[in-house]
Amino acid sequence: MNFRGLNLGDRMLKRSSSLGKVTLCLLWHIMHLIVSMWYFILGLISSVESFLISRGLFKRYRDLDVSKVKYLAVIIDSEEAFQTLKVLDLLRWLAAIGVKSICLYDAKGVLKEGKDVLGSWMKSEGLSNGSTDDTMDEQKMQLEFVSVSDGKLAISKAANHLTKLYFDNHTEKQKLTEPDLTDALKAIGYGKPDPDLMLVYGPARCNMGFPAWRIRYTEIVHMGPLKSMKFGALIKAIHRKMTGEDCILACPQRLGIYATQKNNTSGF
């Protein structure tokens, strides 16, 4: 039996196997480098565009009419919601743009717990009367604070209301419909308006548990991390809502359709 030939074949097989692994690893690193460079270029272009927009160098963004954004939802990742100064800067930008009704949401309720700080700042800026209710009625801006627990509590109370209304009283009802749920939510005090536009700040491209029945026709735009927020990107997102540019207007979220934005803050 030729053991020398077998050993030589084993060595060649091991070398070819090692060479294949090295080649695959090299290809993976090359692809990773290409993708990283692509996203770096996109981010650079977006940053430059945002800077130019904020400086008013694009005529179409100068006179921003916010009449179509009657109610704006701002979703912030709970870990990033601790960045109070960033949240205050964002509210200041929205006030400067002219947005008057805002729903602030984070899943864990960090923003709701810090509403006293936000109320004090708004009072010092002349934007509020310093109220710390869940919904603050200010002359120029209204804030609503929502967390995931609010949605769970609302749907639980609505279910109890519908049970008492249609089942405990033995009222004939073939099936529950969407208007039934809407009426039940209004009856228990959760009939808040649906946002026209939702801006999501954070790593996740989702609504982070925001009450689903309030975003049936809401356009959702991912804005990236809160620490990297840009005034120009905010103006661009609202402008696209106004004009319907590159967006799906009145898109029903129940069909899984999300608004899109043609930059690094792309839609869902």
Side-chain angles (χ1 to χ4, degrees):
M1 196 170 191
N2 191 354
F3 292 101
R4 182 178 299 178
L6 290 176
N7 292 335
L8 180 61
D10 290 340
R11 288 197 298 268
M12 293 180 64
L13 182 62
K14 290 180 180 179
R15 289 179 181 176
S16 61
S17 177
S18 300
L19 181 61
K21 291 180 180 179
V22 171
T23 303
L24 289 176
C25 185
L26 182 61
L27 289 175
W28 185 89
H29 283 292
I30 292 174
M31 290 296 297
H32 185 269
L33 178 62
I34 293 174
V35 172
S36 298
M37 291 180 62
W38 172 255
Y39 278 101
F40 173 78
I41 293 173
L42 288 180
L44 183 61
I45 293 174
S46 177
S47 298
V48 173
E49 182 186 34
S50 177
F51 175 79
L52 296 177
I53 292 174
S54 63
R55 294 296 178 180
L57 298 181
F58 290 107
K59 185 178 180 180
R60 60 177 176 173
Y61 294 113
R62 291 176 187 172
D63 300 323
L64 194 64
D65 180 14
V66 295
S67 59
K68 287 188 178 180
V69 186
K70 297 179 180 179
Y71 204 78
L72 174 70
V74 178
I75 312 301
I76 301 177
D77 182 76
S78 293
E79 297 300 323
E80 298 186 1
F82 288 102
Q83 303 176 31
T84 307
L85 294 179
K86 284 290 186 180
V87 176
L88 296 179
D89 286 340
L90 180 58
L91 290 175
R92 185 182 291 112
W93 289 351
L94 291 171
I97 292 174
V99 180
K100 296 182 179 180
S101 298
I102 303 170
C103 175
L104 289 175
Y105 172 91
D106 76 282
K108 296 181 180 179
V110 176
L111 295 171
K112 182 182 286 189
E113 293 177 359
K115 62 185 178 183
D116 292 339
V117 176
L118 295 175
S120 299
W121 168 80
M122 294 178 69
K123 183 179 180 180
S124 66
E125 293 282 333
L127 298 175
S128 78
N129 54 16
S131 173
T132 56
D133 297 332
D134 281 356
T135 301
M136 299 190 299
D137 294 327
E138 296 90 14
Q139 184 178 1
K140 295 184 179 180
M141 180 181 289
Q142 295 178 352
L143 288 183
E144 177 192 358
F145 296 90
V146 181
S147 66
V148 72
S149 60
D150 297 313
K152 293 180 179 179
L153 182 62
I155 204 66
S156 176
K157 288 184 177 181
N160 290 333
H161 177 81
L162 290 172
T163 300
K164 293 178 180 179
L165 184 63
Y166 293 115
F167 296 99
D168 292 352
N169 296 331
H170 303 287
T171 304
E172 292 186 5
K173 185 70 175 177
Q174 296 295 330
K175 62 179 180 179
L176 296 177
T177 60
E178 183 178 319
D180 292 328
L181 179 59
T182 301
D183 293 339
L185 290 168
K186 290 180 179 179
I188 62 176
Y190 286 88
K192 303 293 184 179
D194 295 350
D196 303 294
L197 177 65
M198 174 184 286
L199 305 178
V200 180
Y201 288 92
R205 294 173 177 264
C206 63
N207 60 22
M208 302 186 194
F210 189 87
W213 59 87
R214 295 185 59 182
I215 54 174
R216 291 165 292 184
Y217 297 94
T218 301
E219 292 179 9
I220 305 176
V221 181
H222 184 249
M223 303 296 291
L226 185 66
K227 64 180 180 180
S228 303
M229 66 179 188
K230 302 177 183 65
F231 184 56
L234 182 63
I235 293 177
K236 185 176 181 179
I238 295 177
H239 178 268
R240 288 180 182 273
K241 166 63 183 176
M242 313 295 294
T243 61
E245 181 181 343
D246 294 339
C247 289
I248 303 172
L249 294 180
C251 54
Q253 302 305 326
R254 63 174 181 269
L255 297 180
I257 303 173
Y258 294 90
T260 58
Q261 211 178 351
K262 218 164 142 184
N263 55 15
N264 75 319
T265 58
S266 60
F268 289 72

PDB file of all heavy atoms in Angstrom, residues 4-5 11 42 44 82 84 100 109 114 125 138 148 181 190 205 219 248:
ATOM      1  N   ARG A   4       2.912   6.806   1.244  1.00  0.00           N
ATOM      2  CA  ARG A   4       3.481   8.116   0.885  1.00  0.00           C
ATOM      3  C   ARG A   4       2.545   8.875  -0.044  1.00  0.00           C
ATOM      4  O   ARG A   4       2.330  10.069   0.107  1.00  0.00           O
ATOM      5  CB  ARG A   4       4.834   7.907   0.201  1.00  0.00           C
ATOM      6  CG  ARG A   4       5.529   9.220  -0.168  1.00  0.00           C
ATOM      7  CD  ARG A   4       6.875   8.955  -0.796  1.00  0.00           C
ATOM      8  NE  ARG A   4       7.740   8.249   0.157  1.00  0.00           N
ATOM      9  CZ  ARG A   4       8.972   7.847  -0.152  1.00  0.00           C
ATOM     10  NH1 ARG A   4       9.464   8.060  -1.354  1.00  0.00           N
ATOM     11  NH2 ARG A   4       9.706   7.218   0.760  1.00  0.00           N
ATOM     12  N   GLY A   5       1.933   8.191  -0.958  1.00  0.00           N
ATOM     13  CA  GLY A   5       0.974   8.834  -1.861  1.00  0.00           C
ATOM     14  C   GLY A   5      -0.257   9.327  -1.132  1.00  0.00           C
ATOM     15  O   GLY A   5      -0.801  10.405  -1.425  1.00  0.00           O
ATOM     16  N   ARG A  11      -2.192  16.064   2.385  1.00  0.00           N
ATOM     17  CA  ARG A  11      -1.609  17.401   2.520  1.00  0.00           C
ATOM     18  C   ARG A  11      -2.154  18.350   1.456  1.00  0.00           C
ATOM     19  O   ARG A  11      -2.454  19.521   1.728  1.00  0.00           O
ATOM     20  CB  ARG A  11      -0.087  17.314   2.443  1.00  0.00           C
ATOM     21  CG  ARG A  11       0.550  16.699   3.690  1.00  0.00           C
ATOM     22  CD  ARG A  11       2.046  17.011   3.732  1.00  0.00           C
ATOM     23  NE  ARG A  11       2.747  16.432   2.587  1.00  0.00           N
ATOM     24  CZ  ARG A  11       3.310  15.219   2.600  1.00  0.00           C
ATOM     25  NH1 ARG A  11       3.239  14.457   3.693  1.00  0.00           N
ATOM     26  NH2 ARG A  11       3.941  14.767   1.535  1.00  0.00           N
ATOM     27  N   LEU A  42     -23.254  57.547   1.023  1.00  0.00           N
ATOM     28  CA  LEU A  42     -24.646  57.976   1.154  1.00  0.00           C
ATOM     29  C   LEU A  42     -24.823  58.891   2.369  1.00  0.00           C
ATOM     30  O   LEU A  42     -25.537  59.902   2.302  1.00  0.00           O
ATOM     31  CB  LEU A  42     -25.560  56.758   1.292  1.00  0.00           C
ATOM     32  CG  LEU A  42     -25.772  55.902   0.041  1.00  0.00           C
ATOM     33  CD1 LEU A  42     -26.691  54.733   0.356  1.00  0.00           C
ATOM     34  CD2 LEU A  42     -26.343  56.732  -1.100  1.00  0.00           C
ATOM     35  N   LEU A  44     -22.532  60.754   3.762  1.00  0.00           N
ATOM     36  CA  LEU A  44     -21.864  62.025   3.477  1.00  0.00           C
ATOM     37  C   LEU A  44     -22.737  62.907   2.595  1.00  0.00           C
ATOM     38  O   LEU A  44     -22.878  64.117   2.851  1.00  0.00           O
ATOM     39  CB  LEU A  44     -20.520  61.754   2.808  1.00  0.00           C
ATOM     40  CG  LEU A  44     -19.642  62.973   2.503  1.00  0.00           C
ATOM     41  CD1 LEU A  44     -19.281  63.693   3.806  1.00  0.00           C
ATOM     42  CD2 LEU A  44     -18.382  62.555   1.752  1.00  0.00           C
ATOM     43  N   PHE A  82     -33.130  59.165  27.007  1.00  0.00           N
ATOM     44  CA  PHE A  82     -32.441  59.772  28.146  1.00  0.00           C
ATOM     45  C   PHE A  82     -31.626  60.998  27.728  1.00  0.00           C
ATOM     46  O   PHE A  82     -31.186  61.766  28.589  1.00  0.00           O
ATOM     47  CB  PHE A  82     -31.515  58.750  28.818  1.00  0.00           C
ATOM     48  CG  PHE A  82     -32.248  57.692  29.590  1.00  0.00           C
ATOM     49  CD1 PHE A  82     -32.424  56.428  29.065  1.00  0.00           C
ATOM     50  CD2 PHE A  82     -32.769  57.966  30.848  1.00  0.00           C
ATOM     51  CE1 PHE A  82     -33.098  55.445  29.766  1.00  0.00           C
ATOM     52  CE2 PHE A  82     -33.455  56.990  31.564  1.00  0.00           C
ATOM     53  CZ  PHE A  82     -33.619  55.726  31.028  1.00  0.00           C
ATOM     54  N   THR A  84     -31.851  64.105  27.088  1.00  0.00           N
ATOM     55  CA  THR A  84     -32.839  65.175  27.247  1.00  0.00           C
ATOM     56  C   THR A  84     -32.512  66.394  26.399  1.00  0.00           C
ATOM     57  O   THR A  84     -33.412  67.003  25.797  1.00  0.00           O
ATOM     58  CB  THR A  84     -32.939  65.584  28.722  1.00  0.00           C
ATOM     59  OG1 THR A  84     -33.184  64.418  29.521  1.00  0.00           O
ATOM     60  CG2 THR A  84     -34.069  66.573  28.940  1.00  0.00           C
ATOM     61  N   LYS A 100     -47.429  72.339  15.773  1.00  0.00           N
ATOM     62  CA  LYS A 100     -48.063  72.734  17.025  1.00  0.00           C
ATOM     63  C   LYS A 100     -48.535  71.564  17.879  1.00  0.00           C
ATOM     64  O   LYS A 100     -48.652  71.703  19.092  1.00  0.00           O
ATOM     65  CB  LYS A 100     -49.254  73.660  16.739  1.00  0.00           C
ATOM     66  CG  LYS A 100     -48.858  74.976  16.095  1.00  0.00           C
ATOM     67  CD  LYS A 100     -50.066  75.866  15.876  1.00  0.00           C
ATOM     68  CE  LYS A 100     -49.658  77.194  15.245  1.00  0.00           C
ATOM     69  NZ  LYS A 100     -50.832  78.074  15.021  1.00  0.00           N
ATOM     70  N   GLY A 109     -41.495  54.665  28.582  1.00  0.00           N
ATOM     71  CA  GLY A 109     -42.052  55.814  29.285  1.00  0.00           C
ATOM     72  C   GLY A 109     -41.027  56.763  29.866  1.00  0.00           C
ATOM     73  O   GLY A 109     -41.328  57.502  30.816  1.00  0.00           O
ATOM     74  N   GLY A 114     -39.988  62.237  32.323  1.00  0.00           N
ATOM     75  CA  GLY A 114     -39.254  63.503  32.292  1.00  0.00           C
ATOM     76  C   GLY A 114     -40.060  64.666  31.756  1.00  0.00           C
ATOM     77  O   GLY A 114     -39.491  65.682  31.343  1.00  0.00           O
ATOM     78  N   GLU A 125     -38.925  78.945  27.492  1.00  0.00           N
ATOM     79  CA  GLU A 125     -38.817  79.375  26.100  1.00  0.00           C
ATOM     80  C   GLU A 125     -40.048  80.148  25.635  1.00  0.00           C
ATOM     81  O   GLU A 125     -40.100  80.623  24.506  1.00  0.00           O
ATOM     82  CB  GLU A 125     -38.618  78.154  25.193  1.00  0.00           C
ATOM     83  CG  GLU A 125     -37.296  77.439  25.388  1.00  0.00           C
ATOM     84  CD  GLU A 125     -36.153  78.143  24.713  1.00  0.00           C
ATOM     85  OE1 GLU A 125     -36.408  78.843  23.716  1.00  0.00           O
ATOM     86  OE2 GLU A 125     -35.016  78.003  25.182  1.00  0.00           O
ATOM     87  N   GLU A 138     -50.754  74.154  25.433  1.00  0.00           N
ATOM     88  CA  GLU A 138     -49.973  75.373  25.325  1.00  0.00           C
ATOM     89  C   GLU A 138     -50.533  76.241  24.212  1.00  0.00           C
ATOM     90  O   GLU A 138     -51.267  75.774  23.358  1.00  0.00           O
ATOM     91  CB  GLU A 138     -48.500  75.068  25.017  1.00  0.00           C
ATOM     92  CG  GLU A 138     -47.799  74.299  26.116  1.00  0.00           C
ATOM     93  CD  GLU A 138     -47.921  72.800  25.905  1.00  0.00           C
ATOM     94  OE1 GLU A 138     -48.306  72.408  24.790  1.00  0.00           O
ATOM     95  OE2 GLU A 138     -47.647  72.060  26.848  1.00  0.00           O
ATOM     96  N   VAL A 148     -45.692  52.407  25.864  1.00  0.00           N
ATOM     97  CA  VAL A 148     -46.327  51.155  25.445  1.00  0.00           C
ATOM     98  C   VAL A 148     -47.397  50.713  26.436  1.00  0.00           C
ATOM     99  O   VAL A 148     -48.376  50.053  26.058  1.00  0.00           O
ATOM    100  CB  VAL A 148     -45.257  50.059  25.265  1.00  0.00           C
ATOM    101  CG1 VAL A 148     -44.707  49.603  26.611  1.00  0.00           C
ATOM    102  CG2 VAL A 148     -45.809  48.880  24.468  1.00  0.00           C
ATOM    103  N   LEU A 181     -64.357  49.365  17.535  1.00  0.00           N
ATOM    104  CA  LEU A 181     -63.191  49.574  18.376  1.00  0.00           C
ATOM    105  C   LEU A 181     -62.895  51.059  18.544  1.00  0.00           C
ATOM    106  O   LEU A 181     -62.559  51.526  19.641  1.00  0.00           O
ATOM    107  CB  LEU A 181     -61.976  48.859  17.782  1.00  0.00           C
ATOM    108  CG  LEU A 181     -60.651  49.017  18.547  1.00  0.00           C
ATOM    109  CD1 LEU A 181     -60.780  48.513  19.974  1.00  0.00           C
ATOM    110  CD2 LEU A 181     -59.516  48.291  17.817  1.00  0.00           C
ATOM    111  N   TYR A 190     -59.785  57.405  25.190  1.00  0.00           N
ATOM    112  CA  TYR A 190     -58.553  57.219  24.423  1.00  0.00           C
ATOM    113  C   TYR A 190     -58.746  57.573  22.947  1.00  0.00           C
ATOM    114  O   TYR A 190     -58.076  57.018  22.077  1.00  0.00           O
ATOM    115  CB  TYR A 190     -58.063  55.780  24.545  1.00  0.00           C
ATOM    116  CG  TYR A 190     -57.439  55.465  25.885  1.00  0.00           C
ATOM    117  CD1 TYR A 190     -58.229  55.030  26.940  1.00  0.00           C
ATOM    118  CD2 TYR A 190     -56.077  55.617  26.107  1.00  0.00           C
ATOM    119  CE1 TYR A 190     -57.671  54.738  28.179  1.00  0.00           C
ATOM    120  CE2 TYR A 190     -55.509  55.333  27.337  1.00  0.00           C
ATOM    121  CZ  TYR A 190     -56.320  54.897  28.369  1.00  0.00           C
ATOM    122  OH  TYR A 190     -55.755  54.619  29.601  1.00  0.00           O
ATOM    123  N   ARG A 205     -36.133  50.077  12.717  1.00  0.00           N
ATOM    124  CA  ARG A 205     -37.052  50.617  11.706  1.00  0.00           C
ATOM    125  C   ARG A 205     -38.444  50.049  11.959  1.00  0.00           C
ATOM    126  O   ARG A 205     -38.932  49.214  11.202  1.00  0.00           O
ATOM    127  CB  ARG A 205     -36.569  50.274  10.308  1.00  0.00           C
ATOM    128  CG  ARG A 205     -35.251  50.946   9.944  1.00  0.00           C
ATOM    129  CD  ARG A 205     -34.720  50.427   8.609  1.00  0.00           C
ATOM    130  NE  ARG A 205     -33.492  51.122   8.239  1.00  0.00           N
ATOM    131  CZ  ARG A 205     -33.417  52.160   7.436  1.00  0.00           C
ATOM    132  NH1 ARG A 205     -34.531  52.644   6.898  1.00  0.00           N
ATOM    133  NH2 ARG A 205     -32.269  52.726   7.154  1.00  0.00           N
ATOM    134  N   GLU A 219     -47.960  58.140   7.695  1.00  0.00           N
ATOM    135  CA  GLU A 219     -46.695  57.933   6.996  1.00  0.00           C
ATOM    136  C   GLU A 219     -45.574  57.846   8.022  1.00  0.00           C
ATOM    137  O   GLU A 219     -45.476  58.680   8.918  1.00  0.00           O
ATOM    138  CB  GLU A 219     -46.431  59.070   6.013  1.00  0.00           C
ATOM    139  CG  GLU A 219     -47.400  59.087   4.846  1.00  0.00           C
ATOM    140  CD  GLU A 219     -47.141  60.231   3.893  1.00  0.00           C
ATOM    141  OE1 GLU A 219     -46.109  60.898   4.067  1.00  0.00           O
ATOM    142  OE2 GLU A 219     -47.958  60.459   2.997  1.00  0.00           O
ATOM    143  N   ILE A 248     -45.800  57.511  -0.277  1.00  0.00           N
ATOM    144  CA  ILE A 248     -47.105  56.914  -0.541  1.00  0.00           C
ATOM    145  C   ILE A 248     -48.104  57.647   0.330  1.00  0.00           C
ATOM    146  O   ILE A 248     -48.126  57.470   1.534  1.00  0.00           O
ATOM    147  CB  ILE A 248     -47.093  55.415  -0.224  1.00  0.00           C
ATOM    148  CG1 ILE A 248     -45.999  54.731  -1.032  1.00  0.00           C
ATOM    149  CG2 ILE A 248     -48.442  54.792  -0.523  1.00  0.00           C
ATOM    150  CD1 ILE A 248     -45.790  53.289  -0.657  1.00  0.00           C
TER     151      ILE A 248
END
